[in-house]
Amino acid sequence: VAAGGGRVMDVARLAGLLSADAGARTRLRPLLTTGQGLLMWPAARDASCPVLCIPTTIGTAAEVSPVAMIRTDASTTMVVSAALRSRTAVLDPEVTSTLGAARLRSGLVEPLSRVLVPAISGEQIEPQDALARALATTLLDLGHHGSLDEDWRLTAASVSTQTHTAFLSLGRSPFGHVLWPLATELAAELSVGKGEALRALLPPWLEGIGARKLGRPFGTPDRVVTVLGHGPERAASLLRDWLAAVVPGVGAGLAAVDVDLVLSRTIDRWQAGGAFLRGVSRQELAWLLARAVGDRRGG
């Protein structure tokens, strides 16, 4: 049984995989110590690990995810396998009742990114686009909702799990979240959660699409309209206002970010392997990261 946030459940699910597969420990250990960004572990589609997950936070959806992040002081490794899906997940709004309003609302940012980024950077696929619009609308509405009662918490947790369990990603690349590598390294550099890093990246990502600073792998203006109902500039403005209301007063540490270091780690650990950020230039990543830091420096 694993009760906790995403990091707790990641470790527990990896431990479940190691206990269920007698040879996995020997084969995985040297790979995990190399600090490589991505590690794919083969398993049957219906595989699972013998862990019951009870999330005490909202937003990571680690309780239903096939991904586990292994972090050390020097590196982050992303392990992907169907065998990492927990056998049982319990979404209990009572467990998250003690979280403050800021923690609850900030938990909406990460699932919103898992909805928006792969859909906008991907090709048109119906009804997946319709599902993306519905999930995005629900998450945005939850951010404006005044009550954080049991129904709100259960709805937020349920929508978050849908980003991993629904057919939202069917037909799309499993590496289509083009902001994820940058957000991972930015979060590590700042020692903050992924949601805070994504908060800095999401609006300039949309602006970059509209201004043609970011190429096709990041998405197109038409895709932004399809998913969000507005052009990139308007969508970025609305999202920035929503984020400021949902996660107010965070990100002061971005002023001290070593942009070149984050950029280099993103390219070396994630792009160089060939799975993430295909067709993306260093110049585009540098623009996006600098714009994200600049956005937050200005408040």
Side-chain angles (χ1 to χ4, degrees):
V1 176
R7 293 193 179 192
V8 171
M9 290 185 286
D10 281 0
V11 172
R13 291 183 296 114
L14 185 62
L17 168 62
L18 295 176
S19 67
D21 186 336
R25 185 186 301 271
T26 300
R27 296 193 299 271
L28 275 174
R29 187 187 299 277
L31 296 174
L32 293 175
T33 57
T34 63
Q36 65 185 66
L38 176 65
L39 174 59
M40 305 293 291
W41 188 256
R45 285 183 174 273
D46 60 351
S48 63
C49 64
V51 177
L52 184 152
C53 283
I54 307 173
T56 60
T57 60
I58 290 174
T60 69
E63 65 273 10
V64 294
S65 174
V67 176
M69 303 301 299
I70 307 303
R71 300 169 178 85
T72 68
D73 291 339
S75 65
T76 301
T77 300
M78 177 184 188
V79 186
V80 183
S81 176
L84 285 171
R85 291 190 186 275
S86 64
R87 194 157 296 169
T88 307
V90 177
L91 302 181
D92 183 355
E94 184 65 24
V95 176
T96 53
S97 63
T98 59
L99 295 178
R103 287 284 304 279
L104 289 169
R105 288 198 171 94
S106 65
L108 302 175
V109 177
E110 197 171 341
L112 181 65
S113 78
R114 292 197 299 268
V115 171
L116 294 182
V117 181
I120 289 173
S121 66
E123 301 294 336
Q124 178 178 349
I125 308 177
E126 294 287 356
Q128 285 87 321
D129 285 352
L131 181 56
R133 289 191 295 271
L135 292 175
T137 297
T138 303
L139 288 164
L140 292 169
D141 287 347
L142 285 169
H144 291 301
H145 201 292
S147 173
L148 301 175
D149 58 13
E150 181 176 300
D151 288 341
W152 188 100
R153 298 193 302 275
L154 182 57
T155 300
S158 298
V159 173
S160 180
T161 65
Q162 288 294 303
T163 63
H164 281 307
T165 60
F167 52 87
L168 178 70
S169 300
L170 190 64
R172 301 197 191 282
S173 167
F175 309 108
H177 195 327
V178 289
L179 299 187
W180 191 92
L182 265 180
T184 297
E185 296 305 327
L186 186 57
E189 172 75 2
L190 292 169
S191 297
V192 298
K194 192 72 62 61
E196 186 168 336
L198 286 164
R199 181 190 188 277
L201 290 165
L202 284 165
W205 161 62
L206 292 172
E207 288 179 339
I209 293 173
R212 309 290 182 181
K213 295 290 187 180
L214 302 176
R216 179 63 188 86
F218 287 93
T220 66
D222 287 346
R223 293 298 300 153
V224 178
V225 173
T226 295
V227 178
L228 283 172
H230 301 282
E233 295 83 0
R234 178 59 175 162
S237 177
L238 292 172
L239 185 56
R240 183 175 287 105
D241 291 343
W242 183 85
L243 288 165
V246 169
V247 197
V250 298
L254 278 171
V257 166
D258 186 334
V259 172
D260 291 334
L261 178 62
V262 172
L263 181 61
S264 295
R265 286 178 173 173
T266 300
I267 292 172
D268 293 344
R269 292 175 179 171
W270 305 106
Q271 188 180 43
F276 283 102
L277 301 173
R278 291 184 179 179
V280 172
S281 70
R282 184 185 182 94
Q283 182 180 5
E284 289 172 314
L285 292 173
W287 180 91
L288 178 55
L289 185 57
R291 186 72 179 90
V293 172
D295 261 5
R296 302 294 291 281
R297 284 175 178 168

